[in-house]
């Protein structure tokens, strides 16, 4: 057992009586957020909410007719797991502090950034292959004893079947196979397939792949300069220090099948292709990218874009980063309307579409190649971007072909058919939501 990974104190789920009461209302589209067009009804008719727990903290599964996507949301004082079709609460956990939720890469588990590291949340939905078909199961969610320990837990990156955890406090990276989470819960510990500690601790990120390579950022607590790729033996394959204030990452497979990793810089983007890296400069003297969003099979990554260091948290432009042609183009996704967006306001669709949630309450769907607006959907009322990055604000994610938009002001989640251009369902969940992540089941 790796000494950096240990069991945490058990966190007890609230009783069923403490679960939220939800009020649902449909308004238009007939498309549920799952592979089957009747997944929501199947959940209502056949879901067993009283699954038995084993001693290891996993739940005995109840077979379902189709995959059952679920959501994990954070709020002040806890985390709730919701059915992604009905938005009913399946489980709720008390957890103090500012917690973040990250995909753990297997369609079932969520890595919860919390005090002391990352706790492992089993969302209670999964599939098992059986010959030429699969069986689907659900169970009551559980927050396990397993903790990936860190002084200052930071970025979590899922790529190529691996999950890389970066500890800002020590500069240490721990890499785990995404397929190992159920076994980790059963046995109470995690097997790390690789560890690496940077020369100096910094706010960084790491990306691992199945070829044994590891991309890690470079810098210290005051300055971040770039990144490098190491082989399985720790030998440098590619190094580039032309990325001041490196932050944000996206790893994806391009249209040619080549693996690419894009990092945000204070003055553009840094792109790694295999054994080499190159800088794509911003056209502005200051053009900072702090978050990057990509889609497999699409050469264009999308970055948030800040044109002035004193601009604040409300942003006006996004950056289209064409990794095939080494171009970076800032565009106004709002067509000159004056709307803005903030953190948690960008996502990617199933076909690579760019989803941007504006302060005018419109969810815009953009063509990733041109940035042209394909359609817009009114989802929430007008809102303002808070200056504090930890403060709740509307967020958008994509899951199973639908967009999920949170509205902390009304404590409501909206399910949006972004292809059909309609809000499919809106449910008041009774919590001022902050972070949100989805699992496919």
């Amino acid at each position: 057992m790796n000494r950096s990974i240990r069991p945490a104190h058990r966190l007890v789920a609230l009783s069923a009586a403490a679960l939220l009461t939800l009020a649902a209302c449909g308004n238009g589209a007939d498309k549920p957020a799952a592979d089957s067009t009747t997944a929501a009804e199947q959940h209502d008719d056949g879901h067993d909410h009283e699954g038995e727990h084993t001693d290891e903290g996993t739940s005995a599964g109840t077979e379902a007719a189709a995959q059952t996507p679920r959501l994990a949301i954070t709020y002040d004082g806890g985390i709730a797991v919701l059915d992604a079709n009905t938005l009913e609460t399946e489980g709720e956990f008390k957890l103090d502090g500012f917690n973040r939720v990250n995909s753990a890469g297997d369609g079932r588990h969520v890595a919860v950034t919390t005090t002391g590291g990352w706790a492992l949340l089993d969302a209670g939905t999964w599939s098992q292959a059986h010959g030429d078909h699969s069986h689907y199961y659900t169970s009551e969610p559980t927050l396990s004893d397993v903790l990936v320990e860190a002084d200052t837990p930071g970025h979590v990156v899922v790529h190529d079947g691996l999950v890389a955890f970066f500890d800002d406090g020590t500069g240490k990276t721990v890499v785990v196979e995404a397929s190992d989470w159920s076994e980790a819960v059963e046995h109470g510990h995690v097997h790390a397939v690789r560890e690496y500690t940077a020369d100096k601790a910094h706010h960084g990120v790491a990306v691992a792949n199945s070829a044994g390579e590891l991309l890690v950022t470079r810098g210290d607590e005051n300055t971040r300069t770039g990144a490098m790729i190491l082989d399985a033996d720790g030998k440098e394959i590619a190094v580039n220090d032309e990325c001041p204030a490196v932050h944000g990452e996206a790893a994806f497979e391009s249209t040619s099948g080549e693996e690419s990793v894009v990092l945000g810089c204070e003055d553009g983007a840094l792109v790694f292709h295999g054994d080499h890296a190159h800088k794509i400069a911003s056209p502005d003297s200051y053009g900072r990218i702090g978050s990057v969003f990509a889609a497999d099979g699409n050469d264009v990554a999308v970055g948030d874009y800040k044109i002035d260091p004193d601009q604040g948290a409300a942003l006006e432009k996004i950056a289209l980063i064409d990794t095939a042609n080494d171009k970076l183009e800032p565009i106004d996704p709002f067509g000159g309307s004056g709307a803005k967006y903030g953190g948690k306001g960008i996502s990617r669709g199933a076909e690579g579409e760019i989803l941007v949630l504006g302060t005018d309450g419109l969810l815009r769907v953009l063509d990733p190649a041109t940035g042209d607006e394909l359609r817009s959907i009114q989802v929430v009322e007008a809102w303002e971007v808070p200056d504090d990055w930890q403060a709740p604000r509307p967020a958008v994610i994509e899951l199973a072909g639908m967009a999920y938009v949170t509205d902390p002001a009304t404590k409501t989640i909206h399910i949006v058919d972004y292809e059909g251009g309609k809000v499919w369902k809106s449910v008041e969940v009774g919590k001022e939501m902050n972070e949100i992540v989805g699992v496919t089941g």
Side-chain angles (χ1 to χ4, degrees):
M1 174 179 171
N2 189 289
R3 296 296 180 185
S4 69
I5 306 172
R6 61 170 176 79
H9 296 296
R10 183 173 296 277
L11 294 157
V12 182
L14 297 180
S15 67
L19 296 180
L20 306 178
T21 301
L22 304 180
C25 58
N27 61 344
D30 294 322
K31 181 178 177 183
D35 294 345
S36 167
T37 57
T38 60
E41 290 79 6
Q42 290 160 354
H43 173 87
D44 290 339
D45 294 340
H47 191 110
D48 180 4
H49 295 267
E50 300 297 329
E52 294 180 0
H53 290 272
T54 67
D55 292 338
E56 292 78 21
T58 58
S59 299
T62 298
E63 190 160 5
Q67 288 183 348
T68 306
R70 286 182 171 177
L71 304 167
I73 60 169
T74 68
Y75 53 89
D76 186 14
I79 298 174
V81 177
L82 313 178
D83 182 288
N85 291 304
T86 66
L87 298 179
E88 292 179 350
T89 299
E90 302 294 345
E92 189 175 350
F93 307 91
K94 291 181 178 178
L95 194 60
D96 293 335
F98 176 71
N99 305 295
R100 311 197 72 184
V101 283
N102 319 268
S103 169
D106 64 350
R108 173 176 179 173
H109 292 89
V110 173
V112 181
T113 306
T114 188
T115 304
W118 297 270
L120 193 61
L121 170 65
D122 181 353
T125 180
W126 68 97
S127 305
Q128 289 182 351
H130 186 216
D132 61 352
H133 64 282
S134 294
H135 290 263
Y136 310 106
Y137 299 91
T138 59
S139 68
E140 183 179 338
T142 56
L143 190 57
S144 79
D145 290 343
V146 175
L147 185 78
V148 181
E149 192 176 66
D151 285 1
T152 309
H155 284 253
V156 179
V157 178
V158 176
H159 178 62
D160 210 7
L162 298 166
V163 191
F165 298 86
F166 194 92
D167 182 353
D168 291 349
T170 63
K172 184 174 184 178
T173 296
V174 174
V175 180
V176 180
E177 290 186 357
S179 60
D180 281 353
W181 292 126
S182 293
E183 184 177 349
V185 173
E186 180 179 356
H187 296 290
H189 65 85
V190 175
H191 172 65
V193 296
R194 181 167 187 172
E195 294 183 352
Y196 172 82
T197 302
D199 291 339
K200 295 181 180 179
H202 61 281
H203 179 52
V205 68
V207 181
N209 68 20
S210 59
E213 298 168 346
L214 182 68
L215 180 146
V216 289
T217 50
R218 293 157 60 91
D220 56 38
E221 63 180 7
N222 298 314
T223 305
R224 302 189 304 276
T225 59
M228 61 184 174
I229 296 179
L230 307 174
D231 67 13
D233 298 320
K235 181 180 178 181
E236 294 180 1
I237 297 174
V239 182
N240 189 297
D241 283 314
E242 300 175 11
C243 189
V246 56
H247 191 276
E249 82 297 319
F252 60 101
E253 186 177 288
S254 66
T255 54
S256 66
E258 181 183 40
E259 179 184 73
S260 298
V261 182
V262 178
L263 302 170
C265 313
E266 194 175 71
D267 56 359
L270 186 60
V271 182
F272 282 84
H273 296 295
D275 61 355
H276 65 282
H278 54 276
K279 176 72 172 290
I280 306 178
S282 299
D284 301 293
S285 57
Y286 184 91
R288 180 182 184 272
I289 295 171
S291 297
V292 186
F293 307 85
D296 284 332
N298 195 292
D299 293 327
V300 177
V302 179
D304 58 5
Y305 195 76
K306 192 172 186 177
I307 58 176
D308 188 316
D310 299 321
Q311 185 175 355
L315 304 181
E316 301 169 359
K317 293 184 177 182
I318 62 173
L320 303 184
I321 307 164
D322 186 342
T323 59
N325 298 300
D326 293 341
K327 294 181 180 179
L328 191 157
E329 180 186 4
I331 66 166
D332 176 1
F334 308 114
S337 68
K340 297 178 174 58
Y341 71 97
K344 308 172 189 173
I346 301 176
S347 188
R348 299 296 295 267
E351 300 299 324
E353 303 98 327
I354 304 167
L355 310 178
V356 184
L357 181 64
T359 53
D360 55 4
L362 289 171
L363 177 66
R364 288 172 173 83
V365 184
L366 310 181
D367 185 309
T370 63
D372 293 340
E373 182 178 305
L374 301 176
R375 66 194 65 90
S376 63
I377 307 131
Q378 188 73 49
V379 183
V380 299
E381 297 295 328
W383 57 285
E384 294 184 0
V385 178
D387 289 331
D388 180 3
W389 71 272
Q390 292 183 330
R393 84 282 308 279
V396 58
I397 66 166
E398 193 276 345
L399 177 66
M402 300 292 268
Y404 290 79
V405 175
T406 64
D407 186 0
T410 62
K411 301 180 180 179
T412 299
I413 296 179
H414 305 275
I415 306 178
V416 184
D417 178 1
Y418 62 87
E419 292 183 1
K422 296 180 180 180
V423 176
W424 177 61
K425 179 181 289 186
S426 299
V427 175
E428 185 178 344
V429 299
K431 299 290 184 184
E432 188 184 29
M433 298 148 289
N434 198 328
E435 296 269 333
I436 180 172
V437 72
V439 295
T440 61

